[in-house]
Amino acid sequence: MMTEYSKEDESISQAHFQLQRSLKLLHGVANGAVGYELEARSLRGLRVIQADAGFLRCKFIVPSHASDINGNWHAGAIATIIDSVGATAIYSVCHNVKVTVNFNIQFHSTAKIQEEVEIEAKANGNRGKLSSVLVEIRNKSNNGRLIAVGTQWTAANDYRSPQPEARL
């Protein structure tokens, strides 16, 4: 018996593959296998609870190593999570890693050590080389109070490093 696949089936399969690839990259960054130690420290403990093409929802317990001297979640750690989760949402609908060309964060409140937060990223658009994402962080320990909103614009990086010439 031969199974026929439609273009729609193939498209769904490719979308699923791209989503899994983007989640694997986020996992690699969070575990320190990819990227920098600062990113890994800021993302350690991040749990993806829902993932679709262009959308990510994560839970995170604010660790003590990501806090400032007052016990608040450090603004730099918040920015790192917004950048990484937002980039993952974009990468889940694009076929290449992009570079950030504009990154804005509005801080509304903070979270304390051991409070649970929810991070939600939605890719807003993907037109040619440009993509945008909106990331919201809410304090789940405090009735969903808004902590920060990040907007990120990314562009395809078409730069190719020079290849060594073949030697004869």
Side-chain angles (χ1 to χ4, degrees):
M1 183 165 137
M2 183 181 271
T3 305
E4 291 186 33
Y5 291 99
S6 67
K7 291 274 186 191
E8 184 178 328
D9 291 335
E10 185 176 322
S11 177
I12 290 169
S13 177
Q14 287 175 348
H16 178 74
F17 173 75
Q18 187 61 30
L19 176 61
Q20 293 305 312
R21 199 163 98 171
S22 66
L23 292 173
K24 183 178 179 183
L25 179 60
L26 179 63
H27 182 70
V29 172
N31 289 325
V34 178
Y36 299 97
E37 181 183 348
L38 178 63
E39 292 170 311
R41 288 177 54 86
S42 296
L43 297 173
R44 191 174 302 135
L46 182 73
R47 291 179 298 144
V48 176
I49 57 172
Q50 183 181 351
D52 296 306
F55 178 83
L56 238 63
R57 181 176 290 131
C58 304
K59 288 195 177 193
F60 186 71
I61 305 292
V62 178
S64 60
H65 68 265
S67 67
D68 63 17
I69 60 172
N70 298 317
N72 295 317
W73 193 12
H74 192 279
I78 294 171
T80 300
I81 283 204
I82 289 173
D83 186 32
S84 297
V85 174
T88 301
I90 289 174
Y91 187 47
S92 72
V93 292
C94 299
H95 295 287
N96 54 359
V97 175
K98 296 189 171 195
V99 295
T100 300
V101 294
N102 189 308
F103 187 59
N104 293 296
I105 301 174
Q106 297 172 349
F107 292 96
H108 296 271
S109 64
T110 191
K112 295 284 188 184
I113 296 169
Q114 294 304 306
E115 287 186 328
E116 182 180 33
V117 299
E118 185 174 87
I119 302 108
E120 188 173 285
K122 296 177 195 170
N124 291 329
N126 184 29
R127 176 166 279 191
K129 294 182 178 185
L130 267 178
S131 300
S132 70
V133 67
L134 176 74
V135 181
E136 289 186 354
I137 300 179
R138 295 191 175 274
N139 189 329
K140 297 305 282 184
S141 300
N142 195 343
N143 297 322
R145 184 176 40 143
L146 185 64
I147 295 173
V149 176
T151 55
Q152 184 176 10
W153 284 88
T154 62
N157 184 359
D158 290 339
Y159 173 75
R160 303 285 186 254
S161 59
Q163 301 298 313
E165 293 183 28
R167 295 185 185 207
L168 299 175

